[in-house]
Amino acid sequence: MLYNSCDRKKHSMICVKRFLCGIVSVALVFSFLSFRFVDARENESIPHGQYLAHYFDNPKLQEPSCYEQIDHRIKFDWHSEGPHRLREDGFSIRWQGYFDFKSCVYLFHFTSDDGIRVWIDDEIIIDYWSDHAAEDLYTLVDFEEDTCLVTCEYYENDGLAEVMLEWDVYQSIKKENPKTNITVLPLLVEFSDVNHIGNLDELEDSIFSSDANDCSLQNFFSETSEGAVNITEGSYGIGQWMKIPYRKSSFHGRWSSESNDMDELIKRIYDTLDVSNIDLSEYDCDNDKILDHVIIMCAGIPESDSIFWYHWGYSDNYVSFDGYQIKNYIMVREISNKHDYESLRILCHEFYHSLGGEDLYSYINRHDPIGPWDIMGTAANWNFGLSGYSRYYLGWLEPTYIHSSGEYVINALGSKKENQLFRINIPCTDEYLLIENRQKITTDSWWYGIPEEGLVIYHIDDSIPTGFRFNDGLPAYRNFAVQVKNPCSYTTYCKENSRIRFTPYTSPSSKDYHDYSPFEIYITDISESGMKMSFSVEFRKIRPFPSFQPQTL
């Protein structure tokens, strides 16, 4: 084909344009790939199984950071100083690392002085961004199996400086219903400087007596479980007091894996106990070579901040007793006589833990969300009552569900009749109300008994997972997981107390915590107190169902 000069010029211009467009396209592609490469490289700089830490010389994480380093864990106590190369006050740190998680619930343990917040990928799980002293705090997080980015931010304003973040698989106490017959192994311990003062026969009655007139551990759980739990003694019985050839004061409160006084005490018990006279298989119902229910009862007055303060616990360094291990145990003080109800109450409280139950008091807020209605709360230090919630939690009592408006009759808790507990789900939420009728019968009449008779109403937030310290409220959660409506007044709902209405407009109210529910719940016409009480329930729809929470409908 022949070209004239104009065609040649035109063709040259087209080639130049195509050449320039090609260069621009290649540049854009390389620019995009370079951006992607840099972005990937930045993500790859975050390590797996440890942290990339950015240290800032200001308390607001303002860029640029002073320096970066790899930290294997977040556990620092700088006291009144600061990290190296930073001043003692007014600094902040950001840690990021990828970690593998299983499909289970994890218990996150954290402390800080001052602020801390933590994300798992893009979801914040800890937000305590304020000036405060260091506290031991916990929260539970449910995971699907995955590798997640953990981001922890911390700042120090002034004063002491400390931060720690750890987690582990949450090993809750067994949640299945306990066996009908539970064989308990008591280990009675005294020391070279502290001797027991009680009578063995009376102590045995306080634990194992089934006489209807006795307050005992056996009778308490037989009553509250409505016969589901029967506590028995094995061939060892109550045993004898073992004198540990050490001073009680030589055991302190060291709990670390390197120096654990509790493990040391268990070893001393093993050295003193004559296991040749005990058939330990009696105390291992599930044949896992771990003794099921061990009560360590120590002579003398327990001291706080020591291993002798009453508690449910477990031993990491399992001590073997003739092939059997002590893993879970409860530590209580001596029951000096049949009328030592305070020591018996402590025993019942701790033994409920060994069956799978949780504390209902707040560890960190010094609040009393449950009042005197449950032995698992702090205000229950004068009675043995166990709420319908705690019975329901261990599967001993099933509530009757209320789904529609109407009038209902409720029997007294512990009456061994139907309809002792009613549950009202708050629509479109994870919250519900529990209603129980408390009368001074069975364990509610022990010692001083409950302060009032009538209806007690609980507000439960089921979105907060049960477990260690789950009923703390702020800062772990925005509200309590289990709360009695009006707990501190100790006033029940009944006609005699002029409290016959529980509505969205009373104080306290029946509203849900987040105000999501399109219904208002009214509990009215509450009758006089008695073994049978009546009340009315009304659901009033006030707005359309919320479209932003379809999964909860």
Side-chain angles (χ1 to χ4, degrees):
M1 183 179 292
L2 299 175
Y3 294 95
N4 57 31
S5 60
C6 291
D7 289 335
R8 280 197 296 271
K9 288 181 181 179
K10 188 174 181 181
H11 179 70
S12 299
M13 291 297 292
I14 291 172
C15 289
V16 170
K17 286 181 180 178
R18 288 176 177 173
F19 177 72
L20 292 174
C21 288
I23 291 175
V24 171
S25 298
V26 171
L28 289 173
V29 169
F30 272 99
S31 175
F32 175 74
L33 290 176
S34 174
F35 171 77
R36 297 291 293 175
F37 173 74
V38 170
D39 183 58
R41 185 182 61 192
E42 288 177 354
N43 284 336
E44 288 172 359
S45 68
I46 299 176
H48 188 278
Q50 52 189 357
Y51 298 96
L52 173 63
H54 295 262
Y55 287 76
F56 301 85
D57 63 356
N58 63 80
K60 297 183 179 180
L61 301 160
Q62 291 176 345
E63 299 285 356
S65 60
C66 284
Y67 63 94
E68 301 173 7
Q69 68 182 35
I70 297 296
D71 288 336
H72 296 283
R73 61 190 303 195
I74 302 175
K75 190 171 185 179
F76 301 97
D77 189 354
W78 296 288
H79 302 289
S80 58
E81 299 179 356
H84 69 285
R85 298 166 59 184
L86 289 182
R87 57 193 179 186
E88 65 271 15
D89 292 320
F91 63 88
S92 53
I93 309 169
R94 179 186 293 115
W95 291 276
Q96 287 188 299
Y98 287 99
F99 294 87
D100 297 328
F101 293 92
K102 304 175 185 176
S103 293
C104 59
V105 176
Y106 282 79
L107 178 70
F108 279 72
H109 178 200
F110 63 98
T111 187
S112 65
D113 182 349
D114 293 301
I116 185 174
R117 53 193 177 198
V118 179
W119 288 263
I120 304 297
D121 290 333
D122 296 326
E123 182 179 352
I124 190 165
I125 62 166
I126 296 169
D127 190 1
Y128 200 6
W129 201 249
S130 63
D131 292 0
H132 56 263
E135 300 174 273
D136 264 337
L137 301 175
Y138 297 81
T139 189
L140 293 169
V141 183
D142 198 357
F143 281 87
E144 297 294 332
E145 185 169 356
D146 200 357
T147 298
C148 300
L149 176 64
V150 177
T151 302
C152 176
E153 294 181 346
Y154 161 77
Y155 81 86
E156 159 62 12
N157 192 4
D158 57 21
L160 300 177
E162 179 182 352
V163 63
M164 183 270 290
L165 174 68
E166 295 176 338
W167 63 83
D168 201 353
V169 174
Y170 173 59
Q171 300 286 354
S172 63
I173 313 170
K174 296 177 182 178
K175 288 298 188 292
E176 68 267 17
N177 292 345
K179 307 279 192 304
T180 299
N181 294 309
I182 294 175
T183 307
V184 172
L185 175 61
L187 299 175
L188 311 182
V189 182
E190 58 183 358
F191 303 88
S192 61
D193 58 338
V194 179
N195 296 321
H196 73 278
I197 60 174
N199 177 282
L200 272 180
D201 291 335
E202 292 196 5
L203 176 55
E204 185 172 24
D205 286 343
S206 296
I207 297 177
F208 297 115
S209 175
S210 57
D211 189 319
N213 297 319
D214 285 344
C215 295
S216 67
L217 183 74
Q218 151 63 16
N219 282 344
F220 178 82
F221 284 102
S222 177
E223 290 286 352
T224 54
S225 69
E226 298 199 353
V229 175
N230 180 39
I231 295 174
T232 62
E233 55 183 320
S235 57
Y236 178 67
I238 196 69
Q240 298 291 325
W241 284 96
M242 295 176 284
K243 186 177 285 291
I244 306 296
Y246 290 87
R247 297 178 64 84
K248 187 176 183 182
S249 56
S250 66
F251 297 92
H252 303 288
R254 295 186 294 265
W255 297 97
S256 69
S257 57
E258 297 84 10
S259 179
N260 192 318
D261 281 341
M262 195 63 228
D263 287 341
E264 192 65 28
L265 176 63
I266 292 175
K267 290 176 184 176
R268 299 302 169 222
I269 293 174
Y270 172 73
D271 292 340
T272 309
L273 183 66
D274 184 5
V275 295
S276 62
N277 296 325
I278 307 175
D279 180 6
L280 291 176
S281 65
E282 294 182 79
Y283 306 97
D284 178 23
C285 295
D286 48 7
N287 299 315
D288 60 356
K289 294 297 181 178
I290 296 174
L291 301 178
D292 296 330
H293 297 281
V294 176
I295 300 173
I296 300 177
M297 184 173 291
C298 291
I301 299 173
E303 298 177 2
S304 59
D305 301 322
S306 76
I307 61 170
F308 301 107
W309 192 252
Y310 18 84
H311 64 277
W312 171 88
Y314 59 91
S315 173
D316 290 324
N317 305 314
Y318 310 143
V319 180
S320 177
F321 278 58
D322 197 26
Y324 293 85
Q325 295 174 333
I326 288 185
K327 182 179 179 183
N328 300 326
Y329 65 89
I330 62 172
M331 168 71 73
V332 294
R333 72 191 191 194
E334 176 189 357
I335 300 177
S336 58
N337 58 70
K338 290 180 65 173
H339 303 291
D340 184 3
Y341 297 126
E342 170 62 12
S343 297
L344 177 60
R345 185 196 68 81
I346 292 167
L347 173 61
C348 293
H349 174 106
E350 299 303 338
F351 199 83
Y352 182 80
H353 283 311
S354 74
L355 296 176
E358 311 289 358
D359 281 321
L360 293 180
Y361 58 84
S362 171
Y363 282 70
I364 61 176
N365 284 293
R366 296 183 181 177
H367 287 299
D368 186 10
I370 204 71
W373 310 108
D374 199 303
I375 197 174
M376 304 311 294
T378 53
N381 56 7
W382 59 76
N383 74 75
F384 287 79
L386 194 68
S387 69
Y389 171 81
S390 290
R391 303 178 194 213
Y392 172 34
Y393 182 74
L394 288 187
W396 299 337
L397 181 64
E398 284 299 316
T400 301
Y401 283 77
I402 294 178
H403 299 293
S404 58
S405 301
E407 185 174 340
Y408 298 88
V409 175
I410 185 169
N411 289 305
L413 190 69
S415 62
K416 300 180 182 178
K417 296 181 179 179
E418 295 182 347
N419 299 331
Q420 296 180 46
L421 187 67
F422 282 92
R423 171 171 170 165
I424 305 176
N425 289 342
I426 302 178
C428 299
T429 73
D430 293 318
E431 302 169 33
Y432 61 92
L433 304 174
L434 281 180
I435 307 173
E436 65 186 17
N437 176 7
R438 300 297 285 270
Q439 301 294 319
K440 293 182 179 179
I441 61 172
T442 66
T443 60
D444 277 349
S445 65
W446 288 15
W447 205 4
Y448 294 111
I450 54 175
E452 289 270 356
E453 295 181 311
L455 295 190
V456 181
I457 301 176
Y458 302 81
H459 192 147
I460 317 294
D461 186 352
D462 224 18
S463 67
I464 299 177
T466 54
F468 186 56
R469 299 187 175 185
F470 80 108
N471 208 24
D472 271 342
L474 290 171
Y477 306 104
R478 62 178 294 169
N479 51 265
F480 296 108
V482 183
Q483 185 174 11
V484 175
K485 288 301 183 177
N486 210 26
C488 294
S489 72
Y490 306 158
T491 304
T492 56
Y493 288 88
C494 61
K495 199 169 185 179
E496 296 92 317
N497 290 337
S498 300
R499 300 185 72 210
I500 61 172
R501 294 173 60 82
F502 177 62
T503 77
Y505 305 102
T506 55
S507 180
S509 74
S510 61
K511 285 184 178 179
D512 57 293
Y513 292 123
H514 300 85
D515 199 26
Y516 285 160
S517 180
F519 283 89
E520 291 182 337
I521 297 174
Y522 291 76
I523 302 173
T524 59
D525 301 325
I526 298 173
S527 71
E528 294 180 348
S529 177
M531 292 294 290
K532 282 190 176 183
M533 294 184 65
S534 62
F535 58 90
S536 298
V537 175
E538 182 182 0
F539 293 87
R540 295 183 189 176
K541 190 173 180 180
I542 56 174
R543 56 177 176 266
F545 284 97
S547 59
F548 50 85
Q549 277 201 330
Q551 73 277 8
T552 62
L553 298 182

